[in-house]
Amino acid sequence: MDSRSRSRSRSRSRSRSRSRSRGAAGIIVQVALLLCISGGTTGEEVCDSPLVSNLPPASFRSSSQLSGSHAPSFAKLNRRDGAGGWSPLTSDRYQWLEVDLGQRTKIAAVATQGRYGSSDWLTSYLLMFSDTGHNWKQYRQEDSIGSFPGNSNADTVVQYKLQQAAVARFLRLLPLHWNPSGRIGLRLEAYGCPYTSHVLRLDGSSRGLVYTLSPGPRGALREVVTLKFKTLRSCGTLLQADGGGGLGLGLELQRGKLLLLTRGPPPSAPRRVASLGSLLDDQQWHRLAVERRGSQLNVTVDEHAERVRMPAAFDGWEAEQLSVGTVTGRGSQNPDVSARNFHGCLENLQYNSLNLIELAKSKDPRVAMRGNVTFSCAESVSVAVTFPGPQSFLRLPWATSSSPEGVSVGFQFRTWNDAGLLLTFDLPEEGGVVWLYLSEARLRLQIRKGGRALLELSAGSALNDGQWHSVELTSSRGHLSLGVDAEEGGAAHAALSYPVAVESHLFFGGCPAENDAPRCRNTFKVFQGCMRLLMLNHLTLDLIMVQKKQLGIFSHLQIDMCGIIDRCSPSRCEHGGRCSQSWSVFRCNCSASGYSGETCHSSVYEQSCEAYKHNGNTSGHFYIDVDGSGPIGPQLVYCNMTEENTWMEIRHNNTEVTRVRPSAGSRQHLLHFDYSTKEEQLSAAISQSEHCQQELSYRCRKSRLLNTPEGSPFSWWLGGPGSGRVQTYWGGAQPGSRQCACGLQGDCVDPQHYCNCDADRAEWAEDSGLVTHKESLPVRSLVLGDVHRPPSEAAYRVGPLRCHGDKNFWNAAFFDKETSYLHFPTFHGELSADISFLFKTTAPSGVFLENLGIKDFIRIELSSPTRVAFSLDVGDGPLEVRVESAVPLNDDRWHRVRAERNVMEASLRLDGLPVARRGAPADGHLHLQLNSQLFIGGTASRQKGFRGCIRALQLNGVTLDLEERASITPGVRAGCPGHCSSYGSLCRNRGRCAERANGFLCDCGLSAYTGAFCHTEVSASFKSGTTVRYTFEEPHELSQNSSARPSSIYSDTTLRGEDVSLSFRTTQSPALLLYVSSHRGESLALLLNKHDKLEVRYKLDGSRGSEVLRSGARSLADGRLHAVSVRRRADVVTLQIDQNPREDFNLTYDGALNGIKWLVLGRVHGSDAVDPDLSRLASLGFTGCLSVVRFNSVSPLKAALLHPHTSPVVVTGPLVRSTCGSSASANPHAAQDSHHLSDSGSVGSGQPLVNSIRTDSALIGGLIAVAIFVLASGLAITARFLCRRKGTYRNQEAEGVKREDSQDLTFTSQRDSQSVSTENPKEYFI
């Protein structure tokens, strides 16, 4: 740690409350004030008096000293006594200096110097505190950083103000690093003030302290209980409040955690409401504060705060008795409650402003002392040892004389790791070894000799839970036993045929380096955790002797302390992510949370339907997360992207038209609507949308609705946030008008009323319209009043909530100068920060965002045309994450940037490129402390500014209103046009991208497709009598017609080239697919001949015959979907069918279709002029499915289905809307698979086969079909012979053109053509 940590300490102290989660911030501030009271000091008291300079020499101790003049008593700041400070005999990490302050004192700061006139000083150190001189607790900054900054020379004083003052009697400093050119040298001072302490000790068998509250209503706005506690027991009741109705609250320790419990009347069991803290049985002081405000309960343990809403049964409840340290309530006759009583010490117990321990000392009648209670805190000494890393081990000698043929070893351990070596020793016989280790959180014993396992035992489970577990290993007289946690954890036993004894030494936790330990072998992971109460042959080991190097050998141990940390309390995992941990790290399981990242911070969902659309998605159900990484969770909505606007639909429990059925005995009919999302999700979605609406409809007969504006309304509805507000207007009218839509428009059936239903007529009437006032949405309830009269009948409908537009998604600003920027308040993302935005630019570099602190900072910039960099410093030095792009980023297209920083890592994502990550240093700084303004598009120095557009900027889920700030900032313009360069590729199938103020629109006018991205096929099933005839306008008609029409119904009428495309599915052959005719006798025909092959027939000269171009593709009348594309330029024709190779043809002469008259799909009626060669085929019609038919810029099928009243198209016979069996067209991301009718064995995933035929019926039907086929074939052959036309076609096969006799057009039906696609039928009879 460097001097930067010291300079920012005051800033951290002032902003400490901001480092917690948003939800607990208010609690921390209130509790901080309460804890000042409980600590015996006030917030205004100065606490900076020197604590060390006046202490006697006996108050100083050290691990060693270089000489008498280097004694620890000379280690006083700015003194030159002795050798000018303390120096140990050996400079290593096992040295320490200890100061006894004489009594528990509040310590606020520590200062260090090197030894005077020397090259001896510390560069970093650890700080420990204790009340007893044992069981030390390491002081950690930000709950993570353990080391403190030292000195750079021998004279300069370096002071560090503790972020939170420590209260202790003993202070110990452990050197970590020192001047490499010198040795350890130290002078120190501590600053603080006296600490007032009122202590109470409970031994677990006593009844504790009971405080009886004053009877009657107290009228206090809040009740507060504060205290400190310390204990070695992991279980016990700390606090219990009992009140009226048998209700009560309890705070109880279980497995080292503090549980908040609610208790109902007997015999109901306590219910757990919250869990706080962890490892609270470490015999260290812990702060507890409980505040009640009405039904709100705020509980804080150390730095962990929870806000809890009490059950409804506690509304109006008041506590009558407060029990401390015991479960015994008023009148309880339970004779044995000691197992659940608290065993430990309490300090400064206060209820509101009353110090209950002082009241107990003065024998106040309100406080009753039950059992053995003492006003002191006597602590048993329990010395623990910490194994922190891979080099840690403890070697102890074994006294063979005490038990030459047996072993008895016992100890306790606690850890978060599921594996690690606990103990190993060699057997007296050569080659034998015993391993006691953890594996999969179970205790396992293995004895090996000569490369094979002689014995394997296991006991216990889930031993990596951070709790203390006792282990006992005994071997004597041919019997070996291994026990865990006495009766609770179980034991394993084995009979031995060989002796198990210790050869010379035991190794705990690990082994030394191989060169140093010839007889220690470890094939397992090292142990990381704590041990205590080590017993060898039933004798407790004195670990203080080990610390003084008077017993055994050790390395990298922390003796007389347990350094275990619960990194999951409070959990750093957000949004319900599950926290797990090992000794050194924690991990978050984000599965099923809807969030991702190391701490489950970033949402995996988009924030609106608009965002999904611009990712290329189509209509469907999606999860949206309106505030991204904010506290509001994702919600499932339906996104309708088929219209110009992208609609979000949120449904409730009844969106259908529903007849009112009055309830007996009630004058009003009440209806409530439950929405599929939570209240906060619903409100946020409405607020974020540009427009929202909801249909409100009432159908009536002799049932009045609102009455006149002067009278009381018969009916009303509730709408808006929460349970809603009373609304007395109806859909289509204005709020407060007390009218319906007809009243606003002046067209009600009775001019005397403002609603149709208020006319009270016997005929059915309706009042309906849209509620569009966002403050009145959604509709929560309906109250219908005039529904109980005998002749009254009514029905209602409340449609789904529909919203479109995302105010955040298009919020943008344009920066036209490097010196221009926008500024916003300081960004507070201390523990988790995510930043996302889109940008587009033509500049090679520029800073997108910057926020500075005293030393901390964050910055995101375009550092080169192909690189985006995310830089930050949280106190561990600058860190940069970069993403390189293979293509330039200054291409004037939108690019998306997402940066995240949490306590685990920093990450950066650019567009769809792989995420770049940089891990945070182990035990590094946690909090990002910023204090300057947030600069967008520039920097505080006005250099390296960004030139271009920034859009949809969000920080921790909060959108910054760039447009609002840009409108008042010179050099920055609100909004940013030009979206087609980025999103135009989403428009498919000849769709054109059209710019909008906010976004873009795919114009499908020139496309044969429809939909948001011109991706949805327009298809129809044809029957033999169906005709779609499209008539082209003459040029003079076009010039006279100025009315606007869809571009799909316009085309030139004289052509020297065509582009024709369509898809078809049929079992009919021959069959005419498309026919185009001109006023001068020219024509174009696409058909299937009798060989199931495709033919293109051109007749470009009315005086000459048709030229036939035949494709080589076979079996096209097979009931499958086939795509055809024909392109002609002068005399060159290109034909493409499905994925077959392209076929090129040359016509014998270059002609044109002059004055195109009409285009026909399906049956061509006799009145139309048809090429005589095709007349019979044209009269038969087409049976099958046609899809996405396009002739140049004309889409006749689309015009017939979607624009029948505004296009020159006439439909005869049934035209059935269908998908032609192509599922891929409905979803641009679906696989390009088509499920055809011939795929009888292919059934969609989990979908029932409708009208399926039983196997035996299918067999009979197949035989009948064969018979019909034979008969039809015979008739067809006869007809062909009788109707054969004479004539020949010129053979042009050398040029790829073939003339064919019309006999190939003879009609045959090989399959049941009625089976052709009828998916999604929607018939049009015109």
Side-chain angles (χ1 to χ4, degrees):
M1 181 176 299
D2 52 22
S3 60
R4 155 247 181 251
S5 301
R6 301 185 297 276
S7 63
R8 73 178 193 169
S9 62
R10 285 188 173 88
S11 172
R12 284 181 169 169
S13 298
R14 290 191 299 265
S15 61
R16 185 66 180 176
S17 64
R18 296 196 304 270
S19 67
R20 307 297 159 218
S21 64
R22 303 173 195 167
I27 307 174
I28 298 296
V29 174
Q30 296 163 3
V31 171
L33 297 176
L34 298 172
L35 294 180
C36 289
I37 299 174
S38 67
T41 61
T42 64
E44 293 78 15
E45 182 177 349
V46 177
C47 193
D48 58 1
S49 301
L51 303 175
V52 176
S53 58
N54 295 324
L55 292 175
S59 298
F60 296 85
R61 287 199 318 136
S62 64
S63 54
S64 64
Q65 60 189 48
L66 184 61
S67 68
S69 60
H70 295 80
S73 59
F74 297 126
K76 295 183 179 180
L77 200 70
N78 293 321
R79 299 288 183 88
R80 303 181 183 182
D81 303 332
W86 167 70
S87 285
L89 181 62
T90 305
S91 292
D92 58 31
R93 287 195 170 193
Y94 304 110
Q95 308 303 321
W96 46 265
L97 175 68
E98 181 182 311
V99 180
D100 181 359
L101 300 178
Q103 61 183 352
R104 294 187 70 211
T105 305
K106 185 175 182 180
I107 305 168
V110 175
T112 60
Q113 264 182 317
R115 192 168 60 82
Y116 175 75
S118 72
S119 299
D120 304 339
W121 62 81
L122 304 182
T123 57
S124 65
Y125 59 90
L126 299 179
L127 198 58
M128 307 281 185
F129 295 105
S130 172
D131 283 351
T132 62
H134 293 287
N135 191 31
W136 295 88
K137 182 175 183 180
Q138 181 180 346
Y139 184 91
R140 290 180 175 270
Q141 312 161 66
E142 300 180 344
D143 300 325
S144 177
I145 305 298
S147 62
F148 283 78
N151 302 86
S152 57
N153 56 54
D155 299 321
T156 304
V157 176
V158 175
Q159 179 175 328
Y160 191 90
K161 183 177 180 180
L162 304 185
Q163 294 172 358
Q164 285 191 342
V167 177
R169 174 179 172 178
F170 294 91
L171 177 153
R172 179 177 282 189
L173 188 148
L174 282 67
L176 285 180
H177 300 95
W178 47 90
N179 179 21
S181 301
R183 58 190 307 126
I184 294 174
L186 177 64
R187 290 176 286 173
L188 66 80
E189 181 59 272
Y191 300 93
C193 54
Y195 178 76
T196 303
S197 175
H198 299 277
V199 180
L200 180 74
R201 183 178 184 273
L202 304 173
D203 63 5
S205 61
S206 61
R207 309 282 272 182
L209 179 151
V210 178
Y211 172 67
T212 303
L213 283 72
S214 302
R218 289 180 286 278
L221 295 177
R222 64 173 185 166
E223 295 177 280
V224 180
V225 177
T226 62
L227 58 91
K228 285 186 175 182
F229 68 92
K230 68 188 309 184
T231 182
L232 274 173
R233 303 286 179 86
S234 62
C235 298
T237 296
L238 190 60
L239 197 65
Q240 181 172 321
D242 296 291
L247 302 177
L249 297 173
L251 286 168
E252 183 175 315
L253 283 172
Q254 289 188 16
R255 297 176 60 82
K257 296 178 180 288
L258 189 66
L259 305 184
L260 174 62
L261 307 172
T262 59
R263 292 182 170 87
S268 61
R271 187 173 71 90
R272 172 176 165 177
V273 178
S275 173
L276 298 92
S278 180
L279 308 176
L280 300 178
D281 56 345
D282 58 358
Q283 206 172 4
Q284 302 289 345
W285 287 109
H286 298 281
R287 302 185 300 273
L288 169 64
V290 183
E291 178 192 23
R292 182 192 176 203
R293 289 177 176 266
S295 61
Q296 193 77 29
L297 201 64
N298 302 326
V299 185
T300 303
V301 176
D302 296 330
E303 307 301 324
H304 189 179
E306 290 282 350
R307 176 175 293 170
V308 178
R309 185 171 184 84
M310 297 168 63
F314 284 81
D315 291 345
W317 176 83
E318 289 189 350
E320 299 173 354
Q321 178 176 285
L322 191 66
S323 302
V324 180
T326 176
V327 298
T328 305
R330 293 180 304 152
S332 174
Q333 301 299 320
N334 188 348
D336 183 15
V337 295
S338 61
R340 294 181 58 192
N341 286 342
F342 176 75
H343 185 284
C345 299
L346 303 178
E347 181 183 63
N348 296 335
L349 170 61
Q350 292 191 345
Y351 171 74
N352 288 346
S353 59
L354 296 176
N355 190 315
L356 300 188
I357 297 179
E358 279 191 308
L359 294 180
K361 288 180 179 179
S362 61
K363 299 184 179 180
D364 189 289
R366 292 173 292 178
V367 179
M369 306 293 293
R370 298 181 179 177
N372 184 22
V373 178
T374 58
F375 297 103
S376 62
C377 186
E379 301 183 47
S380 59
V381 176
S382 176
V383 179
V385 58
T386 303
F387 297 78
Q391 297 176 311
S392 302
F393 74 90
L394 171 61
R395 191 184 81 173
L396 296 174
W398 180 260
T400 56
S401 60
S402 61
S403 181
E405 295 183 357
V407 173
S408 176
V409 179
F411 60 90
Q412 292 184 355
F413 76 91
R414 71 190 316 174
T415 183
W416 298 118
N417 291 358
D418 62 357
L421 179 68
L422 296 172
L423 170 68
T424 182
F425 56 87
D426 288 338
L427 298 175
E429 297 185 17
E430 185 66 28
V433 61
V434 176
W435 286 303
L436 184 64
Y437 61 97
L438 285 175
S439 177
E440 298 178 339
R442 292 175 58 85
L443 184 65
R444 300 182 187 272
L445 174 74
Q446 186 177 134
I447 301 177
R448 296 184 68 88
K449 183 178 180 181
R452 65 187 185 92
L454 300 181
L455 177 67
E456 292 185 352
L457 294 177
S458 65
S461 61
L463 300 178
N464 62 334
D465 57 359
Q467 302 295 308
W468 284 109
H469 298 282
S470 60
V471 177
E472 187 173 358
L473 172 64
T474 59
S475 172
S476 178
R477 299 178 181 179
H479 181 269
L480 184 144
S481 66
L482 176 65
V484 181
D485 295 335
E487 296 83 6
E488 297 179 9
H493 305 273
L496 300 175
S497 60
Y498 48 87
V500 174
V502 180
E503 183 180 41
S504 59
H505 295 89
L506 301 97
F507 291 87
F508 288 86
C511 290
E514 292 184 4
N515 296 334
D516 300 330
R519 298 293 294 175
C520 183
R521 290 162 288 174
N522 180 18
T523 60
F524 309 98
K525 294 182 180 180
V526 297
F527 173 72
Q528 289 178 294
C530 300
M531 292 188 186
R532 70 180 183 186
L533 300 179
L534 275 67
M535 299 185 68
L536 305 181
N537 279 338
H538 309 290
L539 298 176
T540 302
L541 184 73
D542 187 354
L543 288 172
I544 298 301
M545 293 182 62
V546 175
Q547 185 183 43
K548 295 178 179 180
K549 299 186 178 180
Q550 298 173 359
L551 177 65
I553 298 174
F554 67 91
S555 174
H556 294 81
L557 297 185
Q558 296 171 347
I559 299 177
D560 206 4
M561 64 172 291
C562 180
I564 190 170
I565 300 173
D566 191 340
R567 302 175 189 275
C568 290
S569 180
S571 175
R572 304 293 186 191
C573 303
E574 303 178 50
H575 300 110
R578 297 186 297 277
C579 182
S580 61
Q581 61 186 314
S582 63
W583 180 261
S584 55
V585 297
F586 74 92
R587 295 177 179 85
C588 297
N589 183 350
C590 306
S591 60
S593 70
Y595 297 84
S596 64
E598 289 295 320
T599 59
C600 311
H601 178 74
S602 298
S603 178
V604 300
Y605 303 114
E606 298 291 350
Q607 294 183 258
S608 65
C609 291
E610 189 87 4
Y612 277 112
K613 174 183 176 180
H614 289 81
N615 286 342
N617 297 96
T618 55
S619 298
H621 286 91
F622 296 89
Y623 279 98
I624 64 170
D625 196 331
V626 291
D627 67 341
S629 61
I632 301 176
Q635 56 183 311
L636 183 64
V637 302
Y638 182 78
C639 296
N640 186 343
M641 305 177 191
T642 60
E643 305 177 31
E644 179 176 341
N645 293 315
T646 302
W647 289 93
M648 171 188 67
E649 296 184 2
I650 301 177
R651 304 184 69 84
H652 53 79
N653 57 324
N654 182 17
T655 59
E656 303 300 324
V657 176
T658 306
R659 183 179 292 273
V660 178
R661 302 186 183 278
S663 302
S666 175
R667 298 188 59 187
Q668 295 176 331
H669 191 66
L670 175 62
L671 305 154
H672 181 72
F673 304 101
D674 295 319
Y675 289 82
S676 57
T677 60
K678 296 180 180 179
E679 171 61 28
E680 63 271 16
Q681 297 170 333
L682 199 56
S683 298
I686 294 173
S687 176
Q688 180 177 287
S689 301
E690 293 179 352
H691 171 83
C692 291
Q693 64 185 42
Q694 195 166 9
E695 180 188 352
L696 193 56
S697 176
Y698 191 67
R699 301 179 185 181
C700 56
R701 185 164 68 178
K702 297 293 290 183
S703 177
R704 293 161 294 181
L705 184 57
L706 296 182
N707 205 352
T708 63
E710 295 77 20
S712 299
F714 293 107
S715 304
W716 61 87
W717 54 279
L718 285 79
S723 58
R725 296 182 178 179
V726 174
Q727 310 289 341
T728 57
Y729 71 99
W730 205 248
Q734 296 299 318
S737 64
R738 297 187 63 176
Q739 297 182 7
C740 299
C742 69
L744 189 66
Q745 300 166 3
D747 57 357
C748 295
V749 295
D750 185 347
Q752 302 297 320
H753 296 277
Y754 297 100
C755 295
N756 290 320
C757 290
D758 288 344
D760 201 22
R761 296 189 176 184
E763 299 82 12
W764 280 100
E766 181 177 0
D767 286 300
S768 63
L770 297 175
V771 178
T772 59
H773 192 60
K774 289 171 65 173
E775 287 73 12
S776 301
L777 293 173
V779 178
R780 304 278 184 178
S781 304
L782 281 181
V783 180
L784 304 177
D786 192 20
V787 294
H788 290 80
R789 291 185 296 161
S792 296
E793 290 185 83
Y796 66 90
R797 181 178 187 268
V798 177
L801 176 68
R802 304 182 76 229
C803 300
H804 71 75
D806 183 346
K807 294 190 295 185
N808 300 331
F809 190 72
W810 298 109
N811 193 298
F814 175 71
F815 303 82
D816 58 2
K817 299 178 182 178
E818 286 190 6
T819 57
S820 58
Y821 62 85
L822 298 177
H823 60 84
F824 290 86
T826 305
F827 174 45
H828 295 295
E830 285 83 359
L831 293 175
S832 294
D834 76 280
I835 303 167
S836 65
F837 59 91
L838 293 98
F839 76 91
K840 69 173 184 173
T841 184
T842 57
S845 63
V847 175
F848 300 119
L849 174 149
E850 182 182 81
N851 207 164
L852 306 177
I854 297 175
K855 292 292 184 180
D856 295 7
F857 73 89
I858 55 170
R859 182 184 302 114
I860 306 177
E861 63 181 315
L862 181 68
S863 56
S864 77
T866 58
R867 180 191 303 139
V868 173
F870 175 34
S871 308
L872 70 156
D873 187 349
V874 295
D876 303 308
L879 180 146
E880 183 177 87
V881 188
R882 296 179 295 180
V883 175
E884 293 279 352
S885 171
V887 297
L889 301 172
N890 57 341
D891 56 357
D892 202 28
R893 294 174 179 265
W894 287 113
H895 299 279
R896 187 172 185 178
V897 175
R898 284 172 285 183
E900 180 181 349
R901 180 264 160 185
N902 53 58
V903 297
M904 299 286 287
E905 67 172 15
S907 63
L908 179 65
R909 184 190 300 269
L910 172 65
D911 294 332
L913 298 175
V915 182
R917 305 178 189 274
R918 288 285 301 274
D923 289 332
H925 288 277
L926 300 181
H927 294 85
L928 175 66
Q929 299 289 338
L930 306 173
N931 55 21
S932 75
Q933 290 182 321
L934 171 65
F935 291 88
I936 305 299
T939 64
S941 61
R942 296 200 173 190
Q943 297 178 354
K944 299 177 62 177
F946 172 73
R947 289 185 293 113
C949 292
I950 296 178
R951 173 166 70 85
L953 174 61
Q954 290 194 326
L955 286 80
N956 277 351
V958 178
T959 300
L960 300 189
D961 194 343
L962 300 178
E963 294 184 351
E964 184 274 335
R965 191 61 59 94
S967 64
I968 58 174
T969 304
V972 186
R973 297 201 302 267
C976 193
H979 306 295
C980 283
S981 60
S982 301
Y983 300 113
S985 60
L986 295 176
C987 300
R988 305 168 59 188
N989 302 309
R990 296 169 58 97
R992 296 184 301 179
C993 182
E995 294 284 354
R996 300 177 65 186
N998 286 337
F1000 74 100
L1001 176 69
C1002 288
D1003 180 2
C1004 305
L1006 296 179
S1007 172
Y1009 292 74
T1010 187
F1013 306 116
C1014 309
H1015 63 284
T1016 303
E1017 68 173 20
V1018 180
S1019 312
S1021 291
F1022 284 69
K1023 296 184 178 180
S1024 59
T1026 305
T1027 300
V1028 175
R1029 173 171 168 168
Y1030 185 96
T1031 304
F1032 291 84
E1033 295 181 345
E1034 291 292 347
H1036 70 277
E1037 294 177 347
L1038 291 174
S1039 63
Q1040 296 174 0
N1041 185 5
S1042 59
S1043 61
R1045 285 182 174 175
S1047 54
S1048 60
I1049 63 174
Y1050 167 77
S1051 178
D1052 294 333
T1053 57
T1054 299
L1055 305 174
R1056 292 185 58 80
E1058 303 83 39
D1059 285 304
V1060 183
S1061 63
L1062 57 83
S1063 296
F1064 71 91
R1065 193 174 78 171
T1066 187
T1067 57
Q1068 172 186 335
S1069 67
L1072 183 63
L1073 302 177
L1074 175 148
Y1075 189 76
V1076 179
S1077 177
S1078 74
H1079 289 280
R1080 301 184 181 180
E1082 297 96 355
S1083 63
L1084 165 65
L1086 266 68
L1087 56 92
L1088 292 177
N1089 63 23
K1090 69 173 184 176
H1091 302 297
D1092 293 359
K1093 292 185 176 181
L1094 182 76
E1095 290 184 4
V1096 181
R1097 296 199 174 195
Y1098 270 105
K1099 185 176 183 181
L1100 299 180
D1101 186 342
S1103 62
R1104 306 173 69 175
S1106 299
E1107 295 191 66
V1108 180
L1109 315 179
R1110 181 180 298 118
S1111 169
R1114 299 175 178 274
S1115 303
L1116 299 181
D1118 57 356
R1120 297 177 180 270
L1121 188 67
H1122 299 283
V1124 178
S1125 174
V1126 179
R1127 181 178 184 183
R1128 179 181 73 92
R1129 294 296 180 266
D1131 62 344
V1132 178
V1133 179
T1134 300
L1135 177 61
Q1136 176 83 47
I1137 300 178
D1138 297 332
Q1139 303 300 320
N1140 296 319
R1142 190 183 70 181
E1143 301 173 86
D1144 296 323
F1145 303 88
N1146 291 324
L1147 299 176
T1148 56
Y1149 54 90
D1150 178 10
L1153 292 174
N1154 297 292
I1156 297 178
K1157 182 169 56 174
W1158 43 254
L1159 178 152
V1160 175
L1161 304 174
R1163 181 179 181 183
V1164 182
H1165 293 279
S1167 59
D1168 298 321
V1170 182
D1171 185 354
D1173 293 339
L1174 300 174
S1175 59
R1176 173 168 174 74
L1177 181 60
S1179 65
L1180 293 176
F1182 172 75
T1183 301
C1185 187
L1186 290 179
S1187 175
V1188 290
V1189 181
R1190 180 175 60 85
F1191 180 82
N1192 290 345
S1193 61
V1194 171
S1195 302
L1197 192 57
K1198 179 179 177 181
L1201 293 175
L1202 304 184
H1203 311 290
H1205 304 298
T1206 58
S1207 58
V1209 64
V1210 176
V1211 178
T1212 305
L1215 186 65
V1216 182
R1217 186 81 179 265
S1218 170
T1219 63
C1220 279
S1222 173
S1223 60
S1225 62
N1227 185 350
H1229 303 292
Q1232 300 298 317
D1233 293 330
S1234 299
H1235 299 282
H1236 307 293
L1237 289 180
S1238 58
D1239 299 335
S1240 58
S1242 175
V1243 181
S1245 174
Q1247 297 297 323
L1249 192 62
V1250 181
N1251 296 330
S1252 57
I1253 304 173
R1254 295 174 57 91
T1255 304
D1256 50 355
S1257 300
L1259 179 61
I1260 297 172
L1263 295 174
I1264 296 174
V1266 170
I1268 294 175
F1269 172 76
V1270 173
L1271 179 62
S1273 298
L1275 292 175
I1277 293 172
T1278 303
R1280 179 179 177 185
F1281 177 81
L1282 295 175
C1283 301
R1284 170 171 290 190
R1285 293 170 53 93
K1286 294 183 179 181
T1288 60
Y1289 293 98
R1290 291 173 296 172
N1291 189 345
Q1292 300 291 342
E1293 288 184 352
E1295 299 178 18
V1297 179
K1298 180 176 180 179
R1299 303 289 299 271
E1300 186 168 293
D1301 194 277
S1302 61
Q1303 63 184 2
D1304 291 338
L1305 303 182
T1306 304
F1307 179 81
T1308 61
S1309 177
Q1310 300 176 355
R1311 303 167 184 85
D1312 182 7
S1313 61
Q1314 298 302 318
S1315 65
V1316 176
S1317 176
T1318 58
E1319 297 87 6
N1320 303 325
K1322 189 180 295 182
E1323 296 205 19
Y1324 294 81
F1325 294 94
I1326 303 177

